[in-house]
Amino acid sequence: MLSLPATARIFVHSLPPDMRKSFDGLCGIVKCEFQKNILDGDYFVFFNRVLDRCKILLWDRDGLILVYRRLEQGRFQRPPQANSPGPAIEIDATTLTLILSGVD
């Protein structure tokens, strides 16, 4: 399981992206839609339309890390603020941990 620092800033993309995107494509979303710099060390979370796949993109001192999680059964829960305007929803580390663990 991914260990998240309590001080991490975590942004969830409010729209499902093309999940075929990898490092460069997701960095483009972070730069253009989130208006953030990937090198700041924030976590960027992307869920697919069906909510059974999740990608987390982050910078770790000397390179990018892409974490990909696919559920065989069930679905991830969208963050409570998922209907807010704008492409980015900021959540805390506890909320992301609960989402990834399958807690409603």
Side-chain angles (χ1 to χ4, degrees):
M1 182 51 108
L2 182 67
S3 68
L4 299 166
T7 59
R9 292 187 70 200
I10 302 166
F11 298 95
V12 178
H13 195 255
S14 60
L15 300 172
D18 180 355
M19 291 303 272
R20 295 174 292 183
K21 291 183 186 281
S22 190
F23 294 98
D24 295 330
L26 295 176
C27 283
I29 292 174
V30 168
K31 183 178 179 183
C32 295
E33 294 184 31
F34 285 55
Q35 302 291 316
K36 302 282 182 194
N37 184 356
I38 191 69
L39 303 178
D40 289 342
D42 299 330
Y43 289 59
F44 300 94
V45 182
F46 305 89
F47 293 103
N48 68 339
R49 190 174 314 278
V50 183
L51 296 174
D52 65 346
R53 295 173 189 191
C54 173
K55 287 187 177 182
I56 302 172
L57 182 68
L58 63 124
W59 177 260
D60 184 36
R61 291 173 288 183
D62 58 354
L64 288 170
I65 297 174
L66 183 62
V67 178
Y68 184 63
R69 179 149 186 190
R70 182 182 77 183
L71 296 178
E72 294 299 321
Q73 292 181 335
R75 297 173 192 257
F76 294 111
Q77 296 296 316
R78 300 285 276 156
Q81 309 91 338
N83 296 328
S84 67
I89 304 161
E90 188 168 1
I91 62 173
D92 60 7
T94 304
T95 303
L96 181 59
T97 302
L98 292 173
I99 291 170
L100 295 177
S101 299
V103 176
D104 290 340

